[in-house]
Amino acid sequence: MPPFIRFLALGAALLVAGQAAAADRVELRIGDQKGNMRAQLEAADALRDLPYDIRWSEFPAAAPLAEALNAGAVDAGIIGDAPLLFALAAGAQVKAIAVDKSDGYGTAVLVAPDSPLKSAADLKGKRIATGRGSIGHFVALKALASVGLSEKDVDFRFLGPVDAKMALANGSVDAWATWEPYTALSELTKQGRVLVNGSQLTTGNSFLAATDTALADQAKRAALQDYLARVAKAQVWAYANLDSYSRSLAKIIGFPEDAARLQFERRKLHWESLDAHTIDQQQETANFYQAHGLINKPLDAKSTFAQGFSIPTGNTAAK
C-alpha cells in the first residue's frame, strides 16, 4: 500500500475512533436556577477534567425547572422542598438524591417599604403575589397559619418573580412571597421590606433531584455522584472565598454584587446526604400541603428519595 494511502487510512481510523469515544461520553443535562450551582462550580474551578459533559439550562424559578424534569428535558436540577413535592404530586418521575440545608430567612413575605402592614396578621384580606407551589407560596401559607389564618383569608395572585416584583412596586398586590436572591435585592434597593421571614417557618431544605430515567442509567448515576461531590466541594470553597465568589455570582445572575453576597452569606448553605430527619421534614411539608388543598391525596415522602448518594467528608458544611 502506498505511504499516502496508509496515511489516509490511519487518519480515517483515528477519526472514527474519536467519534466513537465522543459518542460514548456521558452528557448530564443540568437545570439551574439563577446560576446557583454553575456559579459555584465555575468560580471554584470545579469543572476541570470532567469525565462527562454538562449541558446547562437556566430557569427563573423552581416551577419551570420541575416541569422540565417531568418532561425529561433535563436529567437533574436543584429545587426547594415544596416545589419538589408539588411536582411529585403531579406525577413527575423524579427523586431527591441529596439535600442542601440552609437558614430560611430569605424565603420571606415582602411588602413595600412604606406599607402599613407590620405583621403576618395584617395580611388578612390582602393580595399576595407568589408562584403557585413555590417555596414562596409555602412560606406565605406558613406565615398565615402562624397567626390563625388560611389561604381563604387572602387573595393569592400566582405570578413569576419578575411580574410579582413589578406588581408589588406598582401597588397591584400588597405583598410578595419570594426567595433569595430576590429578597436580598429588594432589601438592598429599598424596593421591599421583610414582613415575615422564613427562619422559623421553613425547613430551609433544597434538593438535588434527578429523573428516574437518569437514575436508572448507571453511567449517568455515576456522573451524578461525581457532580454532587464537585458541587459540595465548590460550595465550601465559595464560603471560604466570599469576595471572589460574589463577584462571579453577580455576573452570572445579573444582580449587584452586594445582593449576590448577602443572599448567599446569610443562607449558610451546606450539603448533606439524605437521612431520616430530612425525610421526616419532607413528610411534614407534604402533610401541610395536603391540608391546604395543594396536594389532593396523601404523599409518601420516603418514596421520593433515592438512596446511594453521598457527600465526601470535609465538604458537608459551609466555612
Side-chain angles (χ1 to χ4, degrees):
M1 181 183 297
F4 75 94
I5 296 295
R6 287 199 300 270
F7 176 79
L8 290 176
L10 177 60
L14 290 173
L15 177 60
V16 170
Q19 290 175 336
D24 291 339
R25 190 173 169 89
V26 173
E27 178 184 72
L28 281 184
R29 299 168 301 162
I30 302 294
D32 203 9
Q33 289 187 63
K34 273 296 179 186
N36 190 316
M37 294 184 292
R38 185 176 183 178
Q40 291 177 26
L41 288 162
E42 290 184 349
D45 194 26
L47 295 174
R48 186 187 299 272
D49 299 324
L50 278 177
Y52 48 87
D53 297 320
I54 294 178
R55 190 201 310 173
W56 297 100
S57 296
E58 185 166 303
F59 299 86
L65 196 163
E67 290 173 5
L69 282 166
N70 191 25
V74 296
D75 296 313
I78 187 168
I79 55 178
D81 54 356
L84 176 60
L85 284 169
F86 202 67
L88 292 164
Q93 300 298 302
V94 300
K95 289 183 175 61
I97 66 174
V99 60
D100 200 14
K101 292 186 173 286
S102 69
D103 185 300
Y105 178 91
T107 303
V109 180
L110 307 181
V111 295
D114 58 353
S115 170
L117 278 59
K118 302 298 181 185
S119 70
D122 296 332
L123 290 169
K124 185 174 183 178
K126 299 299 188 291
R127 301 158 298 177
I128 305 174
T130 194
R132 181 176 175 82
S134 69
I135 52 176
H137 191 182
F138 180 75
V139 80
L141 290 171
K142 278 287 193 176
L144 293 171
S146 72
V147 292
L149 299 175
S150 75
E151 62 274 14
K152 297 178 181 178
D153 295 303
V154 300
D155 178 12
F156 274 114
R157 304 288 177 86
F158 295 118
L159 303 170
V162 175
D163 291 334
K165 178 182 177 181
M166 187 178 300
L168 182 64
N170 64 30
S172 58
V173 298
D174 304 291
W176 174 23
T178 189
W179 53 89
E180 300 287 20
Y182 302 107
T183 298
L185 180 63
S186 295
E187 289 180 286
L188 291 173
T189 58
K190 309 299 182 184
Q191 295 177 316
R193 168 172 58 85
V194 174
L195 179 74
V196 183
N197 75 73
S199 286
Q200 302 302 315
L201 299 177
T202 71
T203 63
N205 292 341
S206 291
F207 296 100
L208 180 59
T211 66
D212 288 355
T213 300
L215 291 171
D217 184 320
Q218 291 306 308
K220 284 197 173 184
R221 190 180 180 98
L224 283 167
Q225 175 59 70
D226 178 84
Y227 175 79
L228 176 59
R230 289 171 187 263
V231 167
K233 183 177 181 180
Q235 190 173 84
V236 171
W237 179 93
Y239 277 106
N241 298 272
L242 271 172
D243 290 339
S244 57
Y245 174 62
S246 298
R247 285 193 295 271
S248 176
L249 178 61
K251 291 178 182 177
I252 289 177
I253 66 176
F255 275 45
E257 188 177 324
D258 57 350
R261 177 174 181 135
L262 174 62
Q263 64 87 27
F264 182 73
E265 187 172 19
R266 70 184 176 191
R267 289 169 75 187
K268 303 173 184 175
L269 291 153
H270 55 283
W271 283 96
E272 293 184 7
S273 299
L274 300 174
D275 60 14
H277 177 62
T278 298
I279 295 173
D280 287 344
Q281 288 181 317
Q282 190 73 339
Q283 188 64 59
E284 290 176 8
T285 302
N287 295 344
F288 182 85
Y289 252 39
Q290 187 192 2
H292 287 80
L294 291 172
I295 294 178
N296 57 18
K297 60 182 179 181
L299 183 65
D300 177 14
K302 187 175 182 179
S303 67
T304 66
F305 290 85
Q307 301 300 321
F309 291 86
S310 61
I311 308 296
T313 304
N315 294 324
T316 58
K319 302 295 183 182

